[in-house]
Amino acid sequence: MPSQLKNPPDYFATAAALLLAVLVLATAARTGGAPCDKSDMAALLAVKSALGDPPALSVWNSTVDCCSWPYGISCDGNTGRVTDLTVFGREISAPIPAAIANLTALRSINFAYNQLHGSIPEFLGPHALPDLTFLRLDGNRLTGPIPPTATVFNLLLVGNQLTGQIPDTFADAVFGDVELSDNQLTGDASMLFGAKKQLNSLFLSRNRFKFDLGRVELPEVMDILEIDGNMVYGSIPAEAVARKWLSFNVSYNQLCGPIPQGKYTHRFGPKHFAANKCLCGRPLAPCT
Protein backbone atom coordinates (compact mmCIF):
# COMPACT_ATOMS: atom_id res chain seq x y z
CA MET A 1 0.00 0.00 0.00
CA PRO A 2 1.41 3.43 -0.86
CA SER A 3 2.74 5.31 2.15
CA GLN A 4 0.23 8.16 1.87
CA LEU A 5 -2.67 5.71 2.48
CA LYS A 6 -1.29 4.03 5.63
CA ASN A 7 -3.98 5.79 7.73
CA PRO A 8 -7.17 5.73 5.59
CA PRO A 9 -9.47 7.25 8.25
CA ASP A 10 -7.26 10.34 8.57
CA TYR A 11 -7.03 10.65 4.80
CA PHE A 12 -10.77 10.55 4.23
CA ALA A 13 -11.46 12.89 7.17
CA THR A 14 -9.06 15.40 5.66
CA ALA A 15 -10.66 15.03 2.24
CA ALA A 16 -14.14 15.52 3.73
CA ALA A 17 -12.99 18.64 5.57
CA LEU A 18 -11.50 20.05 2.37
CA LEU A 19 -14.70 19.30 0.45
CA LEU A 20 -16.78 21.05 3.13
CA ALA A 21 -14.52 24.09 2.99
CA VAL A 22 -14.87 24.22 -0.79
CA LEU A 23 -18.66 24.04 -0.51
CA VAL A 24 -18.74 26.86 2.04
CA LEU A 25 -16.51 29.02 -0.14
CA ALA A 26 -18.62 28.22 -3.21
CA THR A 27 -21.77 29.21 -1.35
CA ALA A 28 -20.20 32.47 -0.24
CA ALA A 29 -19.17 33.16 -3.82
CA ARG A 30 -22.67 32.51 -5.11
CA THR A 31 -24.29 34.77 -2.53
CA GLY A 32 -21.67 37.45 -2.89
CA GLY A 33 -20.59 37.16 0.73
CA ALA A 34 -21.27 35.40 4.00
CA PRO A 35 -23.31 32.20 4.18
CA CYS A 36 -26.86 32.32 5.50
CA ASP A 37 -27.29 33.11 9.18
CA LYS A 38 -28.20 29.88 11.00
CA SER A 39 -31.01 31.41 13.02
CA ASP A 40 -32.49 32.92 9.86
CA MET A 41 -32.31 29.53 8.14
CA ALA A 42 -34.25 27.99 11.04
CA ALA A 43 -36.82 30.79 10.91
CA LEU A 44 -37.34 30.36 7.16
CA LEU A 45 -37.89 26.64 7.50
CA ALA A 46 -40.40 27.37 10.26
CA VAL A 47 -42.15 29.85 7.93
CA LYS A 48 -42.29 27.19 5.22
CA SER A 49 -43.77 24.67 7.68
CA ALA A 50 -46.38 27.18 8.92
CA LEU A 51 -47.43 27.79 5.31
CA GLY A 52 -48.10 24.06 4.93
CA ASP A 53 -44.89 23.10 3.12
CA PRO A 54 -46.29 24.24 -0.24
CA PRO A 55 -44.73 22.78 -3.40
CA ALA A 56 -43.89 26.32 -4.52
CA LEU A 57 -41.35 26.48 -1.67
CA SER A 58 -39.78 23.06 -2.23
CA VAL A 59 -36.55 24.87 -3.11
CA TRP A 60 -36.35 26.02 0.52
CA ASN A 61 -34.18 23.11 1.58
CA SER A 62 -32.02 22.75 4.68
CA THR A 63 -29.26 21.09 2.65
CA VAL A 64 -28.64 24.29 0.69
CA ASP A 65 -27.51 27.63 2.08
CA CYS A 66 -30.64 29.78 2.22
CA CYS A 67 -28.90 32.72 0.55
CA SER A 68 -28.54 30.45 -2.49
CA TRP A 69 -32.19 29.45 -2.68
CA PRO A 70 -33.41 30.30 -6.19
CA TYR A 71 -36.67 31.87 -5.05
CA GLY A 72 -37.94 34.16 -2.33
CA ILE A 73 -34.84 35.18 -0.41
CA SER A 74 -32.19 37.90 -0.54
CA CYS A 75 -29.35 38.24 1.94
CA ASP A 76 -26.87 40.82 3.12
CA GLY A 77 -23.53 39.81 1.60
CA ASN A 78 -21.55 40.87 4.66
CA THR A 79 -23.64 39.32 7.44
CA GLY A 80 -25.60 36.53 5.78
CA ARG A 81 -28.80 37.91 7.32
CA VAL A 82 -31.99 37.58 5.32
CA THR A 83 -33.12 41.03 4.14
CA ASP A 84 -35.96 40.31 1.69
CA LEU A 85 -38.72 37.73 1.90
CA THR A 86 -41.01 37.13 -1.10
CA VAL A 87 -43.79 34.58 -1.54
CA PHE A 88 -45.77 36.16 -4.37
CA GLY A 89 -48.82 34.74 -6.15
CA ARG A 90 -48.52 31.16 -4.94
CA GLU A 91 -52.16 30.65 -3.80
CA ILE A 92 -51.01 29.68 -0.33
CA SER A 93 -53.81 29.51 2.25
CA ALA A 94 -52.56 30.04 5.81
CA PRO A 95 -52.21 32.70 8.49
CA ILE A 96 -49.13 34.90 8.39
CA PRO A 97 -46.40 32.79 10.05
CA ALA A 98 -45.22 33.93 13.48
CA ALA A 99 -41.65 32.81 12.66
CA ILE A 100 -41.25 35.87 10.41
CA ALA A 101 -40.71 37.83 13.63
CA ASN A 102 -37.36 36.04 14.04
CA LEU A 103 -36.04 37.44 10.74
CA THR A 104 -35.01 40.66 12.43
CA ALA A 105 -32.89 42.01 9.55
CA LEU A 106 -35.77 42.06 7.05
CA ARG A 107 -36.14 45.17 4.92
CA SER A 108 -39.01 43.98 2.75
CA ILE A 109 -41.84 41.44 2.89
CA ASN A 110 -43.97 40.59 -0.14
CA PHE A 111 -46.75 38.04 0.35
CA ALA A 112 -49.10 39.54 -2.25
CA TYR A 113 -51.71 37.54 -4.16
CA ASN A 114 -51.99 34.46 -2.03
CA GLN A 115 -54.91 33.37 0.15
CA LEU A 116 -53.52 34.39 3.50
CA HIS A 117 -56.20 34.71 6.15
CA GLY A 118 -56.53 35.86 9.73
CA SER A 119 -55.29 39.17 11.09
CA ILE A 120 -52.14 41.16 10.36
CA PRO A 121 -49.80 40.45 13.29
CA GLU A 122 -48.31 43.32 15.26
CA PHE A 123 -44.74 42.18 14.67
CA LEU A 124 -45.00 43.34 11.04
CA GLY A 125 -43.56 46.78 11.72
CA PRO A 126 -40.39 48.58 12.78
CA HIS A 127 -40.87 47.83 16.49
CA ALA A 128 -40.10 44.12 16.01
CA LEU A 129 -38.41 44.38 12.59
CA PRO A 130 -36.43 47.63 12.84
CA ASP A 131 -35.19 47.68 9.22
CA LEU A 132 -38.56 46.90 7.61
CA THR A 133 -39.58 49.60 5.11
CA PHE A 134 -41.71 47.63 2.62
CA LEU A 135 -44.74 45.49 3.49
CA ARG A 136 -46.90 44.11 0.69
CA LEU A 137 -49.90 41.95 1.60
CA ASP A 138 -52.35 42.98 -1.12
CA GLY A 139 -54.70 40.48 -2.76
CA ASN A 140 -55.21 38.19 0.22
CA ARG A 141 -58.09 37.46 2.62
CA LEU A 142 -56.83 39.22 5.70
CA THR A 143 -59.39 40.44 8.21
CA GLY A 144 -59.57 42.66 11.28
CA PRO A 145 -57.98 46.06 11.86
CA ILE A 146 -54.63 47.37 10.67
CA PRO A 147 -52.27 47.04 13.64
CA PRO A 148 -50.87 50.31 15.04
CA THR A 149 -47.34 48.94 14.56
CA ALA A 150 -47.62 48.73 10.76
CA THR A 151 -45.87 52.08 10.25
CA VAL A 152 -43.59 50.99 7.40
CA PHE A 153 -42.57 53.49 4.71
CA ASN A 154 -44.33 51.55 1.93
CA LEU A 155 -47.54 49.89 3.13
CA LEU A 156 -49.58 47.94 0.55
CA LEU A 157 -52.74 46.23 1.84
CA VAL A 158 -55.10 46.55 -1.14
CA GLY A 159 -57.84 43.98 -1.74
CA ASN A 160 -58.27 42.32 1.62
CA GLN A 161 -61.19 42.35 4.08
CA LEU A 162 -59.74 44.74 6.63
CA THR A 163 -62.09 46.64 8.92
CA GLY A 164 -61.95 49.42 11.49
CA GLN A 165 -60.21 52.77 11.41
CA ILE A 166 -56.70 53.83 10.54
CA PRO A 167 -54.57 53.63 13.72
CA ASP A 168 -53.76 56.89 15.51
CA THR A 169 -50.06 56.00 15.25
CA PHE A 170 -50.23 56.68 11.51
CA ALA A 171 -50.53 60.42 12.18
CA ASP A 172 -46.85 60.70 13.15
CA ALA A 173 -45.49 57.91 10.95
CA VAL A 174 -43.31 58.56 7.91
CA PHE A 175 -44.90 57.08 4.81
CA GLY A 176 -43.94 57.21 1.15
CA ASP A 177 -46.67 54.99 -0.29
CA VAL A 178 -49.92 53.92 1.41
CA GLU A 179 -52.28 51.62 -0.50
CA LEU A 180 -55.46 50.60 1.35
CA SER A 181 -58.02 50.38 -1.46
CA ASP A 182 -60.71 47.70 -1.68
CA ASN A 183 -61.16 46.95 1.99
CA GLN A 184 -63.92 47.81 4.48
CA LEU A 185 -62.08 50.54 6.38
CA THR A 186 -63.97 53.40 8.00
CA GLY A 187 -63.48 56.73 9.73
CA ASP A 188 -61.06 59.60 9.29
CA ALA A 189 -58.00 59.27 7.05
CA SER A 190 -57.05 62.93 7.16
CA MET A 191 -54.10 62.25 9.49
CA LEU A 192 -52.22 60.85 6.50
CA PHE A 193 -52.10 64.29 4.88
CA GLY A 194 -49.75 67.19 5.68
CA ALA A 195 -47.76 69.61 3.55
CA LYS A 196 -44.35 68.50 4.82
CA LYS A 197 -45.02 64.78 4.86
CA GLN A 198 -43.12 62.49 2.51
CA LEU A 199 -46.25 60.75 1.25
CA ASN A 200 -45.93 60.38 -2.51
CA SER A 201 -48.93 58.19 -3.28
CA LEU A 202 -52.17 57.48 -1.42
CA PHE A 203 -54.75 54.89 -2.48
CA LEU A 204 -57.92 54.77 -0.36
CA SER A 205 -60.46 53.83 -3.02
CA ARG A 206 -63.60 51.83 -2.30
CA ASN A 207 -63.68 51.93 1.46
CA ARG A 208 -65.95 53.91 3.81
CA PHE A 209 -63.65 56.76 4.80
CA LYS A 210 -65.33 60.01 5.79
CA PHE A 211 -63.40 63.26 6.27
CA ASP A 212 -63.28 66.85 5.01
CA LEU A 213 -60.87 66.95 2.06
CA GLY A 214 -61.03 70.74 2.00
CA ARG A 215 -59.37 70.95 5.41
CA VAL A 216 -56.29 68.84 4.62
CA GLU A 217 -52.91 69.97 3.33
CA LEU A 218 -51.70 67.96 0.38
CA PRO A 219 -48.13 66.71 0.80
CA GLU A 220 -45.78 68.73 -1.40
CA VAL A 221 -44.34 65.55 -2.94
CA MET A 222 -47.68 63.84 -3.59
CA ASP A 223 -48.37 62.94 -7.23
CA ILE A 224 -50.92 60.13 -6.83
CA LEU A 225 -54.24 60.55 -5.00
CA GLU A 226 -57.00 57.99 -5.46
CA ILE A 227 -59.84 58.27 -2.93
CA ASP A 228 -62.83 57.38 -5.13
CA GLY A 229 -65.73 55.39 -3.72
CA ASN A 230 -65.79 56.76 -0.17
CA MET A 231 -67.81 59.34 1.75
CA VAL A 232 -65.27 62.15 1.57
CA TYR A 233 -66.85 65.62 1.71
CA GLY A 234 -65.79 69.26 1.51
CA SER A 235 -63.91 70.67 -1.48
CA ILE A 236 -60.80 69.84 -3.48
CA PRO A 237 -57.89 71.82 -1.96
CA ALA A 238 -56.72 74.75 -4.08
CA GLU A 239 -53.11 73.55 -3.92
CA ALA A 240 -54.12 70.60 -6.12
CA VAL A 241 -53.22 72.79 -9.12
CA ALA A 242 -49.57 72.82 -8.00
CA ARG A 243 -49.11 69.06 -7.98
CA LYS A 244 -47.76 67.20 -11.01
CA TRP A 245 -50.39 64.49 -10.80
CA LEU A 246 -49.66 61.07 -12.25
CA SER A 247 -53.04 59.81 -11.05
CA PHE A 248 -55.97 61.65 -9.46
CA ASN A 249 -59.45 60.31 -8.73
CA VAL A 250 -62.01 61.75 -6.31
CA SER A 251 -65.15 60.34 -7.94
CA TYR A 252 -68.08 58.81 -6.05
CA ASN A 253 -67.77 60.88 -2.90
CA GLN A 254 -69.69 63.84 -1.44
CA LEU A 255 -67.48 66.69 -2.62
CA CYS A 256 -68.71 70.16 -3.56
CA GLY A 257 -67.44 73.39 -5.08
CA PRO A 258 -65.25 74.31 -8.05
CA ILE A 259 -62.57 71.96 -9.32
CA PRO A 260 -59.17 73.74 -9.12
CA GLN A 261 -58.12 74.60 -12.66
CA GLY A 262 -54.53 73.99 -13.68
CA LYS A 263 -52.26 72.22 -16.11
CA TYR A 264 -52.21 68.94 -14.24
CA THR A 265 -55.83 68.77 -13.10
CA HIS A 266 -56.83 69.30 -16.75
CA ARG A 267 -55.24 65.98 -17.62
CA PHE A 268 -58.17 64.07 -16.08
CA GLY A 269 -61.61 63.58 -17.58
CA PRO A 270 -65.11 63.61 -16.08
CA LYS A 271 -64.91 60.07 -14.69
CA HIS A 272 -62.23 61.17 -12.21
CA PHE A 273 -64.63 63.71 -10.65
CA ALA A 274 -68.04 62.14 -11.32
CA ALA A 275 -70.80 61.21 -8.88
CA ASN A 276 -70.10 63.81 -6.22
CA LYS A 277 -72.56 66.03 -4.45
CA CYS A 278 -71.94 69.27 -6.30
CA LEU A 279 -68.50 69.52 -7.91
CA CYS A 280 -68.41 71.88 -10.87
CA GLY A 281 -66.07 73.31 -13.46
CA ARG A 282 -63.95 71.68 -16.12
CA PRO A 283 -64.20 68.77 -16.93
CA LEU A 284 -67.71 68.80 -15.36
CA ALA A 285 -70.47 71.29 -15.95
CA PRO A 286 -69.62 74.97 -15.36
CA CYS A 287 -70.18 76.43 -11.91
CA THR A 288 -73.21 78.71 -11.65
Side-chain angles (χ1 to χ4, degrees):
M1 180 179 293
S3 59
Q4 65 267 34
L5 296 180
K6 287 182 179 179
N7 297 304
D10 292 340
Y11 172 82
F12 288 114
T14 300
L18 289 172
L19 177 60
L20 178 61
V22 169
L23 290 173
V24 170
L25 289 173
T27 296
R30 286 194 304 273
T31 61
C36 180
D37 180 87
K38 291 182 179 179
S39 63
D40 283 1
M41 170 76 90
L44 290 169
L45 294 175
V47 168
K48 177 185 175 184
S49 177
L51 293 175
D53 290 314
L57 300 184
S58 61
V59 293
W60 291 18
N61 190 309
S62 61
T63 63
V64 178
D65 184 279
C66 74
C67 296
S68 296
W69 290 348
Y71 172 78
I73 303 300
S74 296
C75 295
D76 184 292
N78 294 319
T79 65
R81 297 299 309 275
V82 173
T83 57
D84 304 281
L85 174 61
T86 298
V87 182
F88 179 90
R90 301 292 173 161
E91 299 185 355
I92 294 171
S93 179
I96 295 174
I100 293 175
N102 297 323
L103 298 167
T104 55
L106 280 177
R107 295 193 296 254
S108 74
I109 297 172
N110 184 350
F111 273 71
Y113 295 101
N114 285 286
Q115 298 177 29
L116 300 180
H117 52 80
S119 59
I120 299 174
E122 292 199 355
F123 63 74
L124 291 181
H127 177 71
L129 303 174
D131 297 325
L132 190 67
T133 60
F134 182 91
L135 177 60
R136 186 175 181 188
L137 300 173
D138 47 308
N140 283 287
R141 299 176 180 177
L142 298 168
T143 56
I146 301 172
T149 52
T151 53
V152 297
F153 190 73
N154 296 297
L155 179 65
L156 291 73
L157 305 177
V158 172
N160 283 282
Q161 301 168 29
L162 301 173
T163 56
Q165 301 189 15
I166 292 178
D168 292 341
T169 53
F170 280 27
D172 297 320
V174 178
F175 290 112
D177 179 19
V178 174
E179 302 188 15
L180 306 178
S181 299
D182 295 307
N183 282 285
Q184 301 166 33
L185 298 166
T186 59
D188 187 357
S190 62
M191 83 281 285
L192 296 171
F193 294 85
K196 299 302 180 182
K197 291 195 174 184
Q198 297 183 35
L199 187 63
N200 175 259
S201 58
L202 179 61
F203 296 81
L204 302 179
S205 304
R206 294 171 295 280
N207 281 284
R208 299 178 208 163
F209 291 117
K210 188 174 184 178
F211 60 93
D212 187 345
L213 184 63
R215 296 178 65 87
V216 306
E217 293 183 323
L218 298 176
E220 294 176 357
V221 297
M222 178 177 279
D223 56 19
I224 296 175
L225 178 63
E226 298 205 3
I227 59 173
D228 50 298
N230 285 282
M231 296 180 286
V232 180
Y233 58 93
S235 59
I236 299 175
E239 63 264 29
V241 299
R243 301 293 179 272
K244 297 180 179 180
W245 297 110
L246 299 177
S247 182
F248 187 88
N249 194 335
V250 297
S251 62
Y252 291 88
N253 280 290
Q254 300 173 11
L255 297 167
C256 263
I259 297 171
Q261 301 297 307
K263 175 181 178 181
Y264 291 98
T265 55
H266 287 171
R267 296 177 58 188
F268 303 101
K271 69 179 182 179
H272 297 268
F273 302 92
N276 274 283
K277 187 177 180 181
C278 51
L279 280 181
C280 60
R282 181 180 177 183
L284 301 180
C287 298
T288 58

